[in-house]
Amino acid sequence: MTPGPTQVRENVRLARAIETTNPDLDLQFYDFYRDTCDRIGQLLKTKNHVRILSGEGILGLEAACASLTEPGDRVLVIDNGIFGEGFADFVKIYGGQVVFFKGDRRRQIDVDELEKFVESQGNFKYATVVHCDTPSGVLNDISRICPMLKSKGIMTVVDSVSAIGGEELKVDEWSIDIALGGSQKCLSAPPGLTFLSISHDAYNAMENRKTPIASFYCNLLLWKDYYEKKWFPYTPPASDIIGLRQAVDNVLEDGDILSRHKRIAEALRKAVREAGLSLYIKDGFSNTVTAIEVPEGIDESALRKDMLERFNVMIAGSFGYLAGKVLRIGHMGENARVDYVSYTLFALQKSLESFGFKCRCDMAKTFMDLIDRNQRLDK
Ligand SMILES: *Cc1c(COP(=O)(O)O)cnc(C)c1O
């Protein structure tokens, strides 16, 4: 029950086992790759090109920055969490000049403040923003941030690795130039793949560079005409892509997926608070992951070890400035299930109590009662 990698459904595991050919030479594989990209486009609500690259989510972040950044470019890095801040490293590696907009790390980015900041700071080539910053679980309102920046001529790169599939994402309507995700979070395929949607403006910026893109593996332009040329820059990991395709189909076929994430996350947050625990985030809660403050005097890694050993439930701690301070329950993708989450709350409560923390309610029961009530209200 961690915020990714998540559990992988049997049909995805089986898809990864089917026989493959040489994907560089098999023309059918070019069609399969293209159709898989189109289905990811459906998920992202975009007509832009989508490309799947052979590397974990981080490759998507680096490829976007490598392809867009030229030495000296001013890049706005929107930071209210660890991944938000981390974008700056990729921008700098490729010679960009980073300007931070720092938000409150317990709240979503204040879009009006951001707009004022941008107006006072002048031109940026593009901005980076994280949809759900997973170490804290803060969700940024990219439905407002990206169109606002676009109206000022600033392209946006959105890291939606831990949100795509669990939160709404409308790439075209929200004018997102590059949106990227990973296989192992809400899509619930194993780690190993990243995918990106690339707008016309983003391609234009890449094609009109004065300096070449300083990478081969991270060069998105090399992928632009792969289908017409029947050429992949490197051999695609066929089995990983076949598995991802099944995982994407699972998500597309699931008409209830976003509302289920919402129902589960809301009931979980409420149950946790009623038990007397505190949530780390004050506003902008992601429906994919929840960070709970570790009660005074409890060693979070010992608590997690106890949950794993006695109940076979694995939740996560966090890292960076949050290390040791929060516990995180991932309720995304295949893990967004009422039975899993209620058992997780049961185990969390038992472990907390054995470490001396008294919960003010039965968390699993409170959670189930809320789910039950909301399901009836939905009908
Ligand atoms: C998981 C994740 C990534 C990919 O990074 P890893 O931690 O290496 O899996 C990138 N961005 C966000 C927001 C993520 O949650």
Side-chain angles (χ1 to χ4, degrees):
M1 298 304 290
T2 72
T6 51
Q7 301 195 76
V8 179
R9 202 186 287 184
E10 185 178 34
N11 66 359
V12 175
R13 300 199 303 271
L14 291 174
R16 289 164 52 83
I18 69 172
E19 193 177 17
T20 52
T21 60
N22 180 333
D24 290 313
L25 300 180
D26 182 353
L27 295 183
Q28 285 179 23
F29 189 80
Y30 286 85
D31 287 319
F32 184 83
Y33 180 96
R34 187 188 55 179
D35 292 347
T36 307
C37 290
D38 288 349
R39 285 182 204 200
I40 293 172
Q42 268 179 51
L43 199 63
L44 305 184
K45 304 208 165 59
T46 185
K47 295 199 168 60
N48 289 340
H49 276 182
V50 171
R51 296 292 179 264
I52 304 162
L53 307 184
S54 151
E56 194 271 347
I58 291 294
L59 174 65
L61 278 74
E62 181 164 356
C65 295
S67 300
L68 289 178
T69 314
E70 285 199 77
D73 281 343
R74 293 181 83 226
V75 179
L76 175 64
V77 174
I78 300 172
D79 163 17
N80 61 335
I82 291 173
F83 281 99
E85 184 177 22
F87 254 122
D89 296 339
F90 299 118
V91 173
K92 282 185 217 151
I93 289 172
Y94 295 95
Q97 195 189 319
V98 169
V99 177
F100 277 111
F101 175 78
K102 301 244 177 212
D104 183 333
R105 293 202 156 189
R106 287 177 187 256
R107 295 182 188 280
Q108 62 184 311
I109 289 293
D110 181 327
V111 187
D112 299 325
E113 288 291 312
L114 175 67
E115 183 162 15
K116 279 189 220 140
F117 180 83
V118 170
E119 281 165 359
S120 71
Q121 291 289 316
N123 272 341
F124 294 104
K125 182 173 192 180
Y126 71 95
T128 63
V129 59
V130 179
H131 194 181
C132 164
D133 211 308
T134 330
S136 68
V138 69
L139 187 81
N140 287 316
D141 187 357
I142 56 171
S143 76
R144 287 186 60 212
I145 293 172
C146 298
M148 182 274 285
L149 292 172
K150 193 73 178 176
S151 75
K152 301 184 189 308
I154 302 168
M155 293 187 290
T156 50
V157 172
V158 174
D159 170 356
S160 187
V161 174
S162 65
I164 286 177
E167 289 284 351
E168 191 74 79
L169 178 59
K170 297 180 175 171
V171 165
D172 288 352
E173 197 179 312
W174 300 346
S175 310
I176 300 171
D177 289 286
I178 297 187
L180 62 99
S183 51
Q184 83 276 29
K185 304 277 168 86
C186 309
L187 301 189
S188 296
L193 295 175
T194 187
F195 49 83
L196 311 93
S197 67
I198 307 155
S199 72
H200 290 293
D201 288 349
Y203 273 135
N204 264 336
M206 294 177 212
E207 283 169 334
N208 292 312
R209 291 172 60 113
K210 294 185 197 75
T211 54
I213 294 172
S215 173
F216 184 86
Y217 221 68
C218 291
N219 184 339
L220 294 175
L221 270 186
L222 293 179
W223 290 85
K224 191 176 180 206
D225 302 317
Y226 80 92
Y227 188 77
E228 292 72 23
K229 294 178 181 158
K230 297 290 180 287
W231 178 79
F232 289 118
Y234 43 85
T235 305
S239 297
D240 288 350
I241 292 171
I242 295 168
L244 178 66
R245 161 71 157 268
Q246 184 60 58
V248 171
D249 285 349
N250 288 346
V251 173
L252 288 173
E253 279 161 17
D254 185 343
D256 182 46
I257 194 160
L258 293 183
S259 36
R260 186 167 65 252
H261 276 81
K262 184 164 187 281
R263 278 199 302 274
I264 287 177
E266 282 176 354
L268 168 87
R269 292 193 291 263
K270 214 155 175 216
V272 162
R273 279 173 165 155
E274 275 183 28
L277 293 162
S278 306
L279 301 177
Y280 178 77
I281 290 300
K282 302 299 170 218
D283 66 47
F285 298 99
S286 174
N287 289 326
T288 59
V289 52
T290 298
I292 302 166
E293 290 186 349
V294 179
E296 281 269 314
I298 292 185
D299 172 351
E300 64 85 22
S301 71
L303 183 93
R304 285 190 291 118
K305 187 159 170 271
D306 183 61
M307 280 178 75
L308 186 59
E309 281 172 0
R310 286 202 295 149
F311 304 100
N312 201 30
V313 176
M314 182 190 284
I315 65 169
S318 197
F319 44 91
Y321 69 96
L322 290 169
K325 298 208 174 100
V326 299
L327 295 162
R328 290 181 303 156
I329 298 176
H331 32 86
M332 59 174 74
E334 289 291 308
N335 297 9
R337 278 177 45 167
V338 167
D339 50 349
Y340 290 171
V341 175
S342 62
Y343 180 64
T344 301
L345 290 174
F346 165 82
L348 175 63
Q349 178 149 5
K350 290 285 179 197
S351 289
L352 280 169
E353 288 179 349
S354 75
F355 281 75
F357 180 86
K358 274 256 155 298
C359 293
R360 287 196 215 123
C361 69
D362 178 333
M363 280 196 282
K365 181 175 184 309
T366 307
F367 171 80
M368 285 309 304
D369 286 346
L370 288 164
I371 291 282
D372 185 41
R373 201 189 62 196
N374 291 342
Q375 266 169 352
R376 269 183 285 123
L377 287 178
D378 277 356
K379 277 182 193 143

